[in-house]
Amino acid sequence: MVAVDSQGPQDSAVRMFRRERSIPLRGSAAALCNNLSVLQLPSRNLTHFGVVHGPSAQLVSAAPEGVPLAQRQLHAKEGAGVSPPLITQVHWCVLPFRVLLVLTSHRGIQMYESDGSVMVYWHALDSGDASPGTWSGRILVFDIPAKGPNIVLSEELAGHQTPVTDIATEPAQGQDCVADMVTADDSGLLCVWRSGPEFKLLTRIPGFGVPCPSVQLWHGTVAAGYGDGQVRLYEAGTGTLHVQISAHARAICALDLAPEVGKLLSAAEDTFVHIWKLSRSPESGYTEVEHCHGECVPDTQVCGARFCDPSGSSFAVTGYDLAEILRFSSV
Amino acid sequence: MSVRTLPLLFLNLGGEMLYILDQRLRAQNIPGDKARKDEWTEVDRKRVLHDIISTMFNRKFMEELFKPQELYSKKALRTVYDRLAHASIMRLNQASMDKLYDLMTMAFKHQVLLCPRPKDVLLVTFNHLDAIKGFIQDSPAILHQVEEIFRQLTEVKCFFLLCLWQTYGGLSAGEFQLIRQTLLTFFQDLHIRVSLFLKDKVQNSNGRFVLPVSGPVPWGTEVPGLIRMFDSKGKEVKKVEFKHGGNYVTAPKEGSFELYGDRVLKLGTNMYSMNRPVETHMSGASKNLAPRTQENIAPNPLAKEELNFLARLMGGMEIKKPSGPEPGFRLNLFTTDEEEEQAALTRPEELSYEVINIQATQDQQRNEELARIMGELEVTDQPRQSASKGDDLLAMMDGL
């Protein structure tokens, strides 16, 4: 395992990561982007992991040392078609009053209680004239009640012409940061939105010929990972490019944030995972980035990566064809 | 998943099949004048390759292939290659056919995984096509057949290249990424170890492919290691290097997507030669294969759809019936007959390519249509055990 650390001028403690006990999976991870979702439950000393295998998704709960405690498999709803529908993403949505588990496939959107035990809502996507595999680029906004299954589709946002790949949100920050949500698509276009009774499109940040599979939002800064291995940071309100990182040698598959400490994680098909520190320069006010750590997962086409705790001192990784979740924590 | 994946899958797997058969036939080659009646000669080898190539590029078949459609299962696709391999005088036993299919799939899986950019899978396809052209070009020994095939192929080639261009010419990087993901889904959990790959250190002993972290970056990607920071006017204000961990260099040039050209990429070129025999190990002990067995056991409402697909696709395949009393030459992909028998007995359960177990359909009309198409492709040594055409069809499929 190759691990590379850069010691920044402000960071006197050198961060080293070591490999922890892996969590076995019943099925290998599929070659999708953002193929790992993590729900941290520190009060219950538990972490939930979600990975898409193909026609099924697997949920695993683990104790802090990585000991697996419970497993569950979820499937996409069947329908007409040649083969069982494939799940495209599994993700925990943490809302103010509840946590929902969302499963998407080409048939539609399934929402469950956070442990996957009960499906509370199903939204079918019309196949219509579009052959399976082409997405319209629509963004669906749902109103979620604090309890129960009364979920309602409240808005459809038009902003993208090609399939939407990722959505990132952060709580409204106040006067400085108006942006609440950023969406990315297959053409590399980013749309920045402000939430409210109706969502308002604030900025469009054009792509440059490669998909943007993963996006994050931190204190009014958009962090986007691209198919050519670049990570770019933009000012959300204006769309101005502030940082450009030649981060990876292959397509980026996942980005994650540890918002409390401003750490960004990038993972790509080149087998590497990198951790970056975001900050704002006190003199200029511009966003700055520092490289903290690089980890190579040998011979593994990484497809998902997430921080496992709010301080960004541990992370988990999934890889195509790999039937386990790899875990790393800092020493 | 992408509905434009099947032509790429079919052509590249077909290309690998030709490489393997070519190498195996050469290995069993006997000079024409010294050959006994039952031994392979150079002329026979060329003929087998020609027959397969002309079947692959049959216009009607191409039309079916290029229709936008989802990928079907490995089982369904294997049936098509079974037919294709038997498009000539060559005959393969089940064990040899299994091995052939294993090698084909692992080779293309490797190529897809290692493609620098998703759209480079087109360069891999061109490498296969360039080689196929080579197979039919250098054959002065074969008489009238070559010219006829060449003439047909030139017409067909134009049609085929038109299909290729129409389907893939205008696709975006995002759509190629989806095609790549669709292909990887098809190959998920396949870890058969191939001796040649193990020897070349392309595959690890656990069946996983080596993903190098050195060499040229994909065309259009920058060598990792640089952080650039800009002010609000777009002026670069700071530049910092970081240690990426890999050992990458700039890409020298882009491969050509033209009819002729330097593809630059070596993936998809013929890696077999006389001195590198073709062997596989069955990696059946791996627990990673467990999820796949569910595909064989689960009740199969898909079978009807897959059978329709097969009928349509193979209906377009013109299988030439041998004229006159020509013997079928058997090709063994193993070193000896005993090895082949042994391989058939010891093949792990989860790697079995059993054809779908089909419930008898109620649709009499469809049954007759399918039976008609299958009848045109039928191998004559199947005993007829029942009066109903539908049952014959099922019996035939089960016997494949």
Side-chain angles (χ1 to χ4, degrees), chain B residues 35 54 107 119 161 211 231 234 309 334 336:
Chain B
S54 56
K119 83 183 267 195
L161 287 168
L211 299 181
D231 65 13
F309 154 70
F334 297 84
T336 62

Side-chain angles (χ1 to χ4, degrees), chain B residues 50 136-137 139 142-151:
Chain B
H50 280 132
I136 56 172
Q137 259 158 19
S139 39
I142 304 193
L143 312 159
H144 59 281
Q145 287 175 327
V146 171
E147 275 168 27
E148 175 61 13
I149 291 174
F150 222 83
R151 186 191 64 76

Side-chain angles (χ1 to χ4, degrees), chain A residues 28 82 242 301 320-321, chain B residues 109 180 184 189 228 230 302:
Chain A
S28 58
V82 176
H242 278 303
Q301 184 181 283
Y320 164 67
D321 251 1
Chain B
K109 177 174 183 175
R180 177 190 162 82
L184 289 176
D189 297 324
R228 298 164 67 198
F230 306 91
L302 323 167

Side-chain angles (χ1 to χ4, degrees), chain B residues 25-26 82 123 132 139 152 160 181 217 236-237 240 248 314 372 376 400:
Chain B
L25 289 166
R26 279 178 198 272
D82 204 286
L123 291 175
I132 288 174
S139 39
Q152 288 174 10
F160 161 70
Q181 286 175 343
V217 287
E236 186 178 301
V237 294
V240 177
Y248 293 101
M314 294 195 288
R372 185 190 66 75
E376 288 166 16
L400 267 178

Side-chain angles (χ1 to χ4, degrees), chain B residues 150-165:
Chain B
F150 222 83
R151 186 191 64 76
Q152 288 174 10
L153 275 168
T154 312
E155 291 168 11
V156 161
K157 198 166 63 172
C158 298
F159 174 72
F160 161 70
L161 287 168
L162 185 68
C163 286
L164 203 66
W165 183 251

